[in-house]
Amino acid sequence: MKKSTIEFEKVREKLDKEKAFHMESLFKLIRQPSISAQNRGVLECANLLATMMKDAGIDTKTLDTEGYPVVYGEVLHPDNKLTVLFYGHYDVQPPEPLELWNSDPFEPTIHDGKIYGRGTGDNKGQLIAHVLAVKSLLDLYGKLPINVKFLFEGEEEKGSINLAPFVENNKELLAANIAYTADGPMEGKDQPSVTLGNRGLLYIELKAQGAIKDNHSGNKGNIAPNPAMDLINLIRTMVDPNGKVLIKDFYNDILTPTGEELDHIRSLPFDPEATANVIGMHKISLSAEEYYKKLCLSPTFNIAGFGSGYTGEGTKTIIPSEAKVKIDMRLAADQDPDLIFQNIIEHVKHFNSPSTITIDYLGGVKPSRTPMHLDIVQKIIRAVEISHNKMPVVLPALGGTGPMYVFTDILKIPSLTVPYANVDEDNHAPNENMGIKEYLNGIQTTCAAILHLGEQI
């Protein structure tokens, strides 16, 4: 047996003895609500997390932003030459609708090998895995083979609105060789994955105002404007039936995938039946290449919500006085949400409508991409393989959005995401969960990354 294998077995044995402590640590975090959208318990959670980090042997402090504080921690040693910056967020989504939960969202419950509760997978279970891994390694060895820093924010579920200015003002404090995030679900059941970027986001709301009141659809039909219909007609000028976005210059700046990236996604495993099951569909008629191109390398245009008029039981014949639609666009590498928003403003301005249409900017995040060939990236991929005894699926970008551009664009360091949660974690939905096995494996994976980067395994 190789020395590296023997060394990591010692880590596995220690983590196995600490399972009860690791479970209770997560339970403690889940029990503390931290809903940034509702200003509920976020400061209390920041203080709790800081205390837990200090108890783990991490030099920790809370740092002010224009919103909720950043919890910053570090374990540094002058002999170490490599530094990893662990990112995560301690805020969570609102739990509503509460009636769809099978248990109290803030009282962790175990059922069928999963921990249920708001924030289990997104992101408290994955965030605390880094902290507990560092504690276990410090207990076992007395020091780490690399420097580690922690950047845990409290506004990710609000679009990380104050993270970029914080990072810009604290470049020296946050200096590192790579940013490492554990967030989101793995690519499949028992299938570890590594993601080398993420799509960006532009979120807008369009409002249409017709008459100052609802009108009878017979008595005033063809007379009063219908703002719901006007929004539908507007949207049809913004995207065609095949999903192609018609807004000026929308596709101009998209980074062309490299031949290496295209060859790589063609080689990725893809189970259309299992993927359809996770989504809640009967089937998906896509090849692996089509699926991953759409998910990782292409932008989207999505109606997230549409509201107008009467939607209750039975009939009510009215022409509604107002309508609104929420639209989110996931952006591919190098697309700029601010530039696209300005082009949407111009698009709406030139649309001829009987209703008065206004547009609100609700949030924007730039996309991010890290090259696959970097040596430090390859080392983390190898660490994930060591931890799981299985080669991870490596994706060029995450379908979802995170603030990783603050690392690649502001700190100028590579950034990757290693999801620890199960593929069916139901993050943002009722009955959010994280598998016990996946949670404990996450702690082990962070240990493997630290030790492998430090050339200890």
Side-chain angles (χ1 to χ4, degrees), residues 63-193:
L63 300 173
D64 291 338
T65 73
E66 290 298 316
Y68 293 116
V70 161
V71 182
Y72 173 80
E74 60 185 27
V75 179
L76 310 179
H77 192 283
D79 293 341
N80 295 336
K81 297 178 181 179
L82 188 69
T83 301
V84 172
L85 175 63
F86 289 110
Y87 165 79
H89 64 93
Y90 61 87
D91 66 321
V92 302
Q93 282 277 316
E96 288 81 5
L98 295 174
E99 66 273 12
L100 296 183
W101 283 81
N102 295 328
S103 57
D104 185 334
F106 295 108
E107 182 52 49
T109 303
I110 294 177
H111 183 65
D112 290 338
K114 294 180 179 180
I115 309 160
Y116 287 85
R118 178 56 90 219
T120 47
D122 189 15
N123 179 244
K124 292 179 177 179
Q126 307 201 56
L127 167 157
I128 203 63
H130 302 316
V131 174
L132 296 172
V134 167
K135 181 182 188 307
S136 293
L137 293 179
L138 288 174
D139 289 346
L140 192 59
Y141 299 112
K143 66 182 291 289
L144 302 179
I146 63 171
N147 294 325
V148 297
K149 297 179 179 180
F150 301 86
L151 171 59
F152 296 149
E153 67 157 320
E155 297 181 312
E156 194 271 350
E157 301 295 5
K158 294 175 65 177
S160 300
I161 51 179
N162 291 296
L163 184 62
F166 177 85
V167 172
E168 188 72 52
N169 293 329
N170 290 277
K171 290 181 181 179
E172 185 175 346
L173 178 70
L174 301 173
N177 298 96
I178 193 167
Y180 183 120
T181 302
D183 200 356
M186 291 190 288
E187 187 57 24
K189 181 175 173 57
D190 297 324
Q191 177 57 66
S193 53

Side-chain angles (χ1 to χ4, degrees), residues 46 62 108 139 363 377 414 421:
T62 56
D139 289 346
V377 169

Side-chain angles (χ1 to χ4, degrees), residues 379-418:
K379 283 186 175 180
I380 291 179
I381 292 171
R382 171 59 181 151
V384 176
E385 181 184 9
I386 291 170
S387 176
H388 288 266
N389 292 316
K390 186 175 186 178
M391 186 66 186
V393 170
V394 182
L395 300 177
L398 186 70
T401 300
M404 285 66 194
Y405 77 94
V406 303
F407 309 122
T408 55
D409 292 10
I410 300 176
L411 293 182
K412 306 296 183 184
I413 61 175
S415 169
L416 51 69
T417 299
V418 184

